[in-house]
C-alpha cells in the first residue's frame, strides 16, 4: 500500500485461472502502492519507487488480452504466453530449458491501456543505464482469456524515487525506428552501468 504495509485483501481467481494476477480488486485498479507514476520530461510518464525496494521485490504487469497493434501506434503491450491451466506455471520439465517454448505458446498481447496497470510506465534503460527489474516469465491468466499478467522482480535494491527500468529488446527499437537514450533525471535517477559511473 502507499503506507508501506502489505495489502491484506484476498486475491481471487477471475476467470478460473489457477494463479490469478496477484492484486486484489482495489490494487488491480490503482497499482502497487510501493510504486508511483510521475511526469517525465520526454517520455511522458515514468515509474518510480515510492519507498526503498529490496532486491527480488515482486511486481505484476497486467492488461487486456488481444491482438498486437501496428508499430506506428503507441504500444505498451507485452506478448502473452499463458501458463499451464492446471498448475499455473510456465515451467515445463518436458521442455528443454524448463520454460514453455514461446513459439508454441503465443496467445496475443496484454494491452494495459484503459486499465489500472502502472508497470506499463517502466522505461527501458538508455545506453549508459542498466535495468533494475526483469521478467520472471511467470504469466497469469488463461489461454484465450480476457485478461492476463506477467511477473517482474527487482534485481537490485531500488532507492526511493529511482526509476524502475527493464529491457524492451533490441527489436522493439529497430521496428519503430527509434534510438535509445538515457532516461534518468536529477529528480528521478536511473541506475548507471559501471562504465558510465567511472567516466
Amino acid at each position: 500500500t502507499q503506507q508501506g504495509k502489505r495489502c491484506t485483501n484476498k486475491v481471487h481467481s477471475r476467470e478460473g485461472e489457477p494463479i490469478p494476477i496477484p492484486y486484489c480488486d482495489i490494487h488491480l485498479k490503482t497499482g502497487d502502492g510501493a510504486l508511483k507514476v510521475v511526469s517525465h520530461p520526454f517520455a511522458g510518464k515514468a515509474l518510480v519507487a515510492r519507498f526503498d525496494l529490496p532486491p527480488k521485490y515482486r511486481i505484476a504487469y497486467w492488461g487486456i488480452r488481444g491482438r498486437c497493434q501496428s508499430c506506428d501506434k503507441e504500444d505498451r503491450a507485452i506478448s502473452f504466453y499463458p501458463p499451464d491451466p492446471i498448475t499455473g506455471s510456465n515451467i515445463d520439465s518436458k521442455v528443454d530449458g524448463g520454460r514453455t517454448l514461446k513459439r508454441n505458446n503465443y496467445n496475443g498481447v496484454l494491452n494495459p491501456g484503459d486499465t489500472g496497470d502502472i508497470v506499463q510506465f517502466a522505461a527501458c534503460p538508455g545506453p549508459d543505464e542498466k535495468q533494475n527489474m526483469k521478467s520472471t516469465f511467470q504469466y497469469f491468466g488463461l489461454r484465450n482469456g480476457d485478461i492476463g499478467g506477467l511477473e517482474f522482480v527487482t534485481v537490485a535494491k531500488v532507492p526511493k524515487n529511482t526509476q524502475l527500468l527493464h529491457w524492451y529488446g533490441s527489436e522493439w527499437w529497430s521496428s519503430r525506428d527509434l534510438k535509445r537514450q538515457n532516461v534518468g533525471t536529477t529528480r528521478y535517477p536511473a541506475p548507471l552501468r559501471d562504465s558510465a559511473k567511472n567516466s
Side-chain angles (χ1 to χ4, degrees):
T1 67
Q2 294 186 10
Q3 290 72 41
K5 297 180 180 179
R6 182 185 294 272
C7 174
T8 58
N9 295 333
K10 287 187 176 181
V11 175
H12 60 88
S13 175
R14 297 172 173 90
E15 297 183 280
E17 69 279 14
I19 304 179
I21 299 167
Y23 290 143
C24 70
D25 290 343
I26 293 174
H27 288 106
L28 201 67
K29 296 177 181 178
T30 63
D32 187 328
L35 316 173
K36 63 180 179 179
V37 178
V38 298
S39 296
H40 190 278
F42 62 81
K45 294 181 179 179
L47 184 69
V48 305
R50 189 183 299 273
F51 315 107
D52 291 347
L53 300 179
K56 299 182 180 179
Y57 185 84
R58 297 165 66 190
I59 303 164
Y61 165 103
W62 75 279
I64 307 300
R65 195 193 64 81
R67 294 178 179 272
C68 184
Q69 299 188 67
S70 60
C71 293
D72 60 335
K73 298 179 181 179
E74 183 171 352
D75 177 19
R76 300 182 185 276
I78 288 180
S79 297
F80 181 51
Y81 301 97
D84 185 287
I86 304 300
T87 66
S89 176
N90 282 92
I91 304 300
D92 186 347
S93 60
K94 299 187 295 294
V95 174
D96 184 31
R99 299 197 324 178
T100 301
L101 288 175
K102 289 186 175 183
R103 63 177 177 270
N104 295 337
N105 200 38
Y106 177 78
N107 192 219
V109 300
L110 302 177
N111 190 338
D114 298 322
T115 74
D117 175 75
I118 61 175
V119 183
Q120 62 178 299
F121 299 113
C124 181
D128 297 321
E129 299 164 342
K130 61 183 180 180
Q131 67 177 7
N132 53 10
M133 61 182 276
K134 67 176 183 178
S135 160
T136 66
F137 202 70
Q138 173 59 60
Y139 285 83
F140 310 105
L142 295 175
R143 173 169 292 278
N144 300 325
D146 292 330
I147 65 174
L150 172 62
E151 180 185 69
F152 284 82
V153 63
T154 56
V155 297
K157 180 180 178 181
V158 182
K160 178 180 177 179
N161 287 328
T162 297
Q163 291 188 51
L164 286 109
L165 309 179
H166 68 97
W167 177 236
Y168 287 11
S170 56
E171 290 185 2
W172 192 94
W173 297 94
S174 60
S175 63
R176 293 162 178 77
D177 197 26
L178 295 173
K179 185 177 181 180
R180 285 170 57 213
Q181 56 182 310
N182 293 334
V183 295
T185 67
T186 301
R187 187 173 183 182
Y188 302 116
L192 295 174
R193 292 176 177 269
D194 290 340
S195 57
K197 292 179 182 178
N198 299 326
S199 62

